[in-house]
Amino acid sequence: MDNVSASITELPPAAPHQHAAPDSFIRNYVFSLDHKVIGKQYLGLGLLAVCTGMFLSWIMRYHLAFPDKPVPLIGLIAPTFAAGGVITPEFYLQLMTMHGTIMVFFVLTTAPFAGFGNFVLPLQVGAEDMAFPRFNMMSFWVTFVAFAVLVAAFFVPDGPPLSGWTAYAPLSAVGKSSGPGEGLGQSLWVVSIAIFCIGQLLGSLNFIATTLDLRAKGMTLARMPYSTWAWFITSIIGLIAFSVLLPACVLLLLDRVAGTSFFIPAGLVVSDALQPHSGGSALLWQHLFWFFGHPEVYIAIVPGFGIISTILPAVCRKPHLGPRVLIACQLAIAGLSYMVWGHHMFLSGMSPMSATLFSVPTLIITIPAAIITLLWLGTIYGSKLRVNTAALFCLGFVSVFVTGGLSGFFLSQPSIDTYLHGTYFVVGHFHFVMGVAAMFGIFAGTYFWFPKMFGRMMNETLGKWHFALTFLGVYATFMPMHWLGLEGNVRRYSSFPSDYMHGSLALHRFITAAALFLGAAQLIFLVNLLWSRLRGPAAPDNPWDATSLEWSTTSPPPFDNFAGVHPVISHGPNEYGVASARGDYIMQTDPPSAAASSAVA
Amino acid sequence: MAPPNPARTGVWVGIGAVIMSFAAYTSAMIVRQGTTPEWHHIALPPILYWNALVLVASSVTLELARQRIGGPFDRLGRTPAVQAAKSREWQFWYRITLVLSVGFLVGQFFAWRRLASEGVYLASSPSGSFFYVLTALHALHVLGGIGALLYALRCLHADDGPRSVNVLGAVAVYWHFMAALWVYLLVILALWI
């Protein structure tokens, strides 16, 4: 590591800032080059997307609970798709497709990775901005256009596609004849996701170059905060994953508009019409999609790992247990994430041998995940926890991640997955491990970094109520889905009014009530965000007594992050529980002598 | 250890992404071929091989231009006359590079015309589909490379300090990669398509 710091000292002094200070409203808030503004823009897009996605889920949940009753108000909002509020099976699938796509791409990818990563990463490594500010700006606006193109599918005659967020071919490839929304709606979906890939590739490129090249003097790799490590690892995963999804989208689009047959098999009859295609492989789409799709799970969750590992030592007031093991485990997860995609395809006619080859690494990947969880528990163990909202969401993250991870053991085994794959068990599993866990990471990050972002503290009382009700709502909503799955309740069906699943209706009603309750609890968060932004008490520079670089500058930071000062780093991010002039911690920018007089508590 | 150079890092990372995407197309092609009992091989238009020579030659001329620009520090102490002479030399090779790069794209266009005249279109056969997809996407990346060459030229004209030299270095890495990628694709096309 000495080599690294030595080479940094040889740098030409104080290269000029990459871009000038913004001098107009447009440059400041719209086409901003500032990573902090771009981070907030991403978070804003995530907030808009999560509200949209959640609204769609309520319509689905209401219909599942009361399949015979029209959904209130929907007849007015969507008179063409749901006349009189009646949800057809096709419209249900369209809602489900859009819910999944919006949540996975525009919430779970944009907020924890692009949103917080953009705002915090350059601050944490001591850079004035990202390596390529113009690419960074393009990355956000490209993503925004992708969102607009996707939502536009609601406003075309046939509506959005119904092929699910995974857009399995040939359903997604043959066009209009395969169902409502499979015409223009599905084309918009493919174009939107392709554009989204370009945005995320630009973002990943920036994250990697910034982390490798723009670290402040003394910021060796070993001294990088855990959240920066997590975003760095995520950007590598994203770079590889989106580079594969983009070609898949190109080929799918060609099948749809240019008459090629990449994914459409010969002799396919859809809606009584023989399709003019030959010899394509529907499975090829699944392979390309899941080669992206499984790493995507880690794109959503690894930033959460980093956020939790950054917040936990600050609220526990002791060093994170096993910091190098923590990073090694995340690297192992990143590597293994490319060897497990086939476990999404156990039911695709895969040979038992192949299934075993995908099942074994799936089980192995739980080992680094379990080690990380144990490191968190070890860090919490015996600590004097400062119980604030960020800390509560960290604990909640550990809880929902473990709950979701445990059901993964069942699903990773082909013989058990054969029964459970098409059921609500899987819905419960991925909502816990990917959806809710990543959301808890987002919430923890919001409560933790809001003071730095806006210079105001969030309301802790509202925050704790938000946590308690959300935690309750999450378990009440998604836990019973495991039971439904074990009962054999199939997923992706719009209703179960008169068949063998009729007995599960009461439980569906309970889940719907819980989902609406969970949604209502989020109003507390929205009120807190708005109120704190406008009326919250002024935030000090370092409200959490944390060690990393972003807390050494003002709240909010100036345009060039450190007001022209080039920070010099003498410590790692893990110096908690040590006696120093500051109290029980040493900041990364403190002089080296601060460590000499310290004693480990 | 070389000092950090974000432009170069960025280009290498970008190349990683391009490699991944062409790996995806290649594996898709292999899988797709496996699902078709009869995979009609296409006789490649000979101009494709000449195009490969043109693109590799453009890489060489770009290096000749770069050698004549040199680093910003090795010009210190030279007389203005020597500097002006060197400037004329690199601009000459740079222009040759640009001409060759456009020549490559024109050559690819003729290859597409040739295949179309033989009745091979994007949707007419699976091998034709992959031929057009792979060559068109490579051409699109080359077009981006030409844009980057023009951008580097603008930087050099504005200021031939270390920043411009860094930009040119990064663009050159990408440009050489384009030639290497085309050689790879040509092998794939000759063997599979």
Side-chain angles (χ1 to χ4, degrees), chain A residues 292-318:
Chain A
F292 146 81
H294 195 79
E296 164 64 30
V297 174
Y298 294 99
I299 294 172
I301 201 69
V302 169
F305 288 179
I307 292 170
I308 300 312
S309 291
T310 299
I311 299 176
L312 268 186
V315 293
C316 293
R317 308 314 297 169
K318 59 186 275 213

Side-chain angles (χ1 to χ4, degrees), chain A residues 132 205 213 243 247 258-259 261 278-279, chain B residues 4-6 9-10 17 21 25 32 35 123:
Chain A
F132 311 110
L205 182 84
D213 285 346
S243 302
S261 308
S278 65
Chain B
N5 179 347
T9 309
S21 68
Y25 288 116
R32 180 68 180 79
T35 61

Side-chain angles (χ1 to χ4, degrees), chain A residues 444-511:
Chain A
T446 307
Y447 285 101
F448 189 66
W449 280 304
F450 186 92
K452 188 52 66 183
M453 288 183 177
F454 299 104
R456 290 177 186 276
M457 302 299 289
M458 286 188 81
N459 185 298
E460 278 291 318
T461 311
L462 287 178
K464 283 171 184 165
W465 274 105
H466 173 225
F467 168 77
L469 300 180
T470 303
F471 191 74
L472 203 66
V474 157
Y475 270 94
T477 305
F478 298 113
M479 207 62 189
M481 289 186 183
H482 295 92
W483 174 249
L484 284 176
L486 291 172
E487 271 192 318
N489 197 152
V490 284
R491 58 184 170 132
R492 297 190 165 192
Y493 278 37
S494 69
S495 62
F496 314 92
S498 59
D499 62 8
Y500 74 106
M501 285 315 303
H502 195 67
S504 68
L505 199 60
L507 195 49
H508 271 297
R509 285 190 178 150
F510 173 79
I511 293 175

Side-chain angles (χ1 to χ4, degrees), chain A residues 7 10-11 131-132 201 205 208-209 212-214 239-240 243-244 246-247 250-251 254 258-262 278-281 284 288 291, chain B residues 1-7 9-11 13-14 16-18 20-21 24-25 27-28 31-32 35-36 122-123 126 129-130 133 137:
Chain A
S7 74
E10 289 158 16
L11 270 177
F132 311 110
L201 286 172
L205 182 84
I208 295 173
L212 290 179
D213 285 346
L214 296 192
L239 191 87
I240 298 172
S243 302
V244 172
L246 182 56
V250 168
L251 297 183
L254 288 175
T260 55
S261 308
F262 294 110
S278 65
S281 165
L284 176 59
L288 290 173
F291 187 83
Chain B
M1 199 170 138
N5 179 347
T9 309
V11 158
V13 173
V18 178
M20 268 318 291
S21 68
Y25 288 116
S27 54
V31 170
R32 180 68 180 79
T35 61
T36 302
L122 177 64
S129 301
F130 275 102
V133 167
L137 285 166

